[in-house]
């Protein structure tokens, strides 16, 4: 359905808007459910929550009928059924290369996300209510920043955006290692760490979906999408299981192993994206020195923060041949 509704040239803006709305709704739901669950001690408050969810679900059915598109397309149905629908996707080396790199990034993001909430509760000893506030702050930060990354990807391509977001995720995952249990400052440092982690985890997931949409071809569209869904489900499901086993086995050392592995895998995924072609209609992927600047890490992080705040500067001026320039204006 996304292929019919979302224009590829502005898919970053669409996905970013969706992500922003989801985060704002999560904040509102957290406040509403918290209020309902504090109304008493009996089971009735839980039935109110379930009833609310069922009612909203039924109402949404009426609105789904108003969404344009979603009708059968006979010209695509011939390649959509059975294993034949997967042949175009499995023969598309560029698509599979993108999926492999994106799934590696998802493993990094999922491992960090799974360990972080448990770490706040079990290692730092924060109360459940405070953890909810931190999660809500993270959602608010995502809602305020993710649109900037969507516009950046629309303007300069998904791959450069993914590289920078994964690099920032690696730094954020490493910051969790600084939150030492038993210290007075760890609960306060957790506030910016949670917010930064949430921002770049959400930005990565949004950008990864945008990049997938830009690489799906009309022929075998169902096979392309199913491969993506299966791969993301495995990555987002197996990584938390592995993180949980590590934490159960090694306790505090398990938490630290999860954050260290998330940081390292995220950095590896970022570097692997340099070997990927840009999607059609976008400028070539810049060189390493033009995106991450290994000799100037603070400058790189400052630029990534600048983009997150929506201060990335003007769009690239086009070359005489119609392509956009490779130099990052925001640098």
């Amino acid at each position: 359905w996304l292929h019919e509704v979302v224009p590829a040239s502005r898919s970053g803006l669409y996905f970013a808007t969706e992500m922003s709305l989801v985060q704002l709704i999560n904040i509102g739901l957290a406040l509403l459910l918290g209020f309902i669950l504090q109304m008493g001690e009996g089971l009735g408050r839980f039935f109110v929550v379930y009833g609310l969810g069922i009612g909203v679900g039924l109402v949404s059915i009426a609105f789904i009928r108003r969404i344009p598109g979603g009708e059968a397309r006979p010209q695509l149905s011939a390649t959509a059924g059975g294993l034949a629908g997967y042949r175009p996707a499995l023969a598309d080396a560029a698509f599979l290369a993108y999926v492999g790199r994106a799934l590696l990034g998802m493993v990094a993001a999922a491992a960090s996300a799974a360990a972080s909430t448990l770490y706040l509760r079990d290692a730092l000893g924060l109360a459940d209510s405070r953890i909810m506030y931190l999660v809500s702050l993270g959602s608010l930060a995502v809602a305020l920043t993710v649109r900037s990354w969507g516009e950046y990807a629309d303007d300069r391509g998904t791959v450069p955006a993914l590289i920078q977001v994964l690099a920032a995720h690696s730094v954020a995952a490493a910051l969790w290692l600084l939150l030492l249990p038993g210290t007075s400052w760890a609960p306060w440092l957790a506030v910016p760490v949670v917010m930064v982690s949430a921002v770049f985890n959400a930005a990565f997931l949004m950008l990864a979906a945008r990049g997938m949409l830009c690489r799906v071809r009309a022929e075998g569209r169902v096979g392309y999408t199913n491969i993506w869904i299966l791969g993301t489900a495995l990555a987002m499901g197996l990584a938390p299981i592995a993180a949980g086993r590590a934490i159960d086995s090694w306790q505090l050392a398990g938490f630290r192993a999860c954050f260290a592995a998330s940081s390292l895998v995220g950095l590896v995924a970022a570097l692997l994206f340099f070997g990927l072609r840009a999607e059609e209609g976008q400028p070539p992927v810049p060189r390493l020195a033009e995106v991450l600047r290994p000799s100037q890490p603070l400058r790189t992080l400052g630029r990534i923060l600048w983009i997150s705040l929506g201060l990335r500067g003007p769009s690239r001026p086009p070359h005489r041949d119609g392509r956009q320039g490779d130099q990052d204006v925001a640098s």
Side-chain angles (χ1 to χ4, degrees), residues 23-36:
Q23 299 304 319
L24 291 175
I25 291 171
N26 284 341
I27 295 172
L29 282 177
L31 296 175
L32 175 62
L33 298 184
F35 174 77
I36 293 175

Side-chain angles (χ1 to χ4, degrees), residues 262-274:
S262 176
S263 178
L264 179 61
V265 172
L267 184 59
V268 170
L271 295 176
L272 288 176
F273 269 109
F274 279 104

Side-chain angles (χ1 to χ4, degrees), residues 165-176 193 196-197 263 267 301 304:
V165 165
L166 281 171
H169 160 79
S170 296
V171 174
L175 289 176
W176 283 91
V193 172
V196 170
S197 298
S263 178
L267 184 59
L301 292 175
I304 293 174

Side-chain angles (χ1 to χ4, degrees), residues 59 88 115 248 269:
V59 171
D248 282 341

Side-chain angles (χ1 to χ4, degrees), residues 29-94:
L29 282 177
L31 296 175
L32 175 62
L33 298 184
F35 174 77
I36 293 175
L37 294 177
Q38 290 178 355
M39 292 174 58
E41 297 295 334
L43 293 177
R45 53 193 178 137
F46 292 101
F47 292 134
V48 171
V49 172
Y50 292 138
L52 179 64
I54 294 170
V56 172
L58 293 174
V59 171
S60 72
I61 295 175
F63 285 95
I64 287 175
R65 294 178 59 86
R66 300 170 61 90
I67 301 175
E71 299 176 355
R73 295 201 168 194
Q75 68 271 25
L76 296 179
S77 61
T79 60
L83 295 178
Y86 294 92
R87 289 174 185 169
L90 293 175
D92 191 338

Side-chain angles (χ1 to χ4, degrees), residues 77-260:
S77 61
T79 60
L83 295 178
Y86 294 92
R87 289 174 185 169
L90 293 175
D92 191 338
F95 176 76
L96 295 179
Y98 174 81
V99 171
R101 289 161 171 79
L103 295 185
L104 194 62
M106 288 184 184
V107 168
S112 176
S116 58
T117 303
L118 294 175
Y119 190 77
L120 293 172
R121 186 193 67 186
D122 298 340
L124 298 185
L126 299 186
D128 292 342
S129 59
R130 184 162 184 177
I131 294 175
M132 285 189 64
Y133 291 141
L134 289 176
V135 172
S136 297
L137 284 175
S139 296
L140 180 60
V142 171
L144 294 175
T145 60
V146 73
R147 182 184 178 95
S148 300
W149 283 105
E151 293 177 345
Y152 182 91
D154 285 340
D155 183 30
R156 307 185 189 186
T158 306
V159 175
L162 281 170
I163 291 171
Q164 295 178 85
V165 165
L166 281 171
H169 160 79
S170 296
V171 174
L175 289 176
W176 283 91
L177 299 174
L178 302 179
L179 302 180
L180 302 178
T183 59
S184 59
W185 42 265
W188 300 103
L189 182 60
V191 176
V193 172
V194 168
M195 294 177 68
V196 170
S197 298
V199 164
F200 293 112
N201 273 18
F204 169 75
L205 295 177
M206 179 271 297
L207 291 170
R210 193 255 183 203
M212 178 276 298
L213 197 67
C214 292
R215 286 169 170 77
V216 170
R217 299 180 181 179
E219 182 184 3
R221 186 177 286 171
V222 173
Y224 276 89
T225 308
N226 284 354
I227 289 174
W228 174 258
I229 293 174
L230 177 61
T232 55
L234 288 174
M236 302 295 286
L238 294 178
I241 293 175
R245 293 295 299 271
I247 293 169
D248 282 341
S249 301
W250 304 327
Q251 301 301 314
L252 183 59
F255 281 113
R256 301 181 70 83
C258 288
F259 294 131

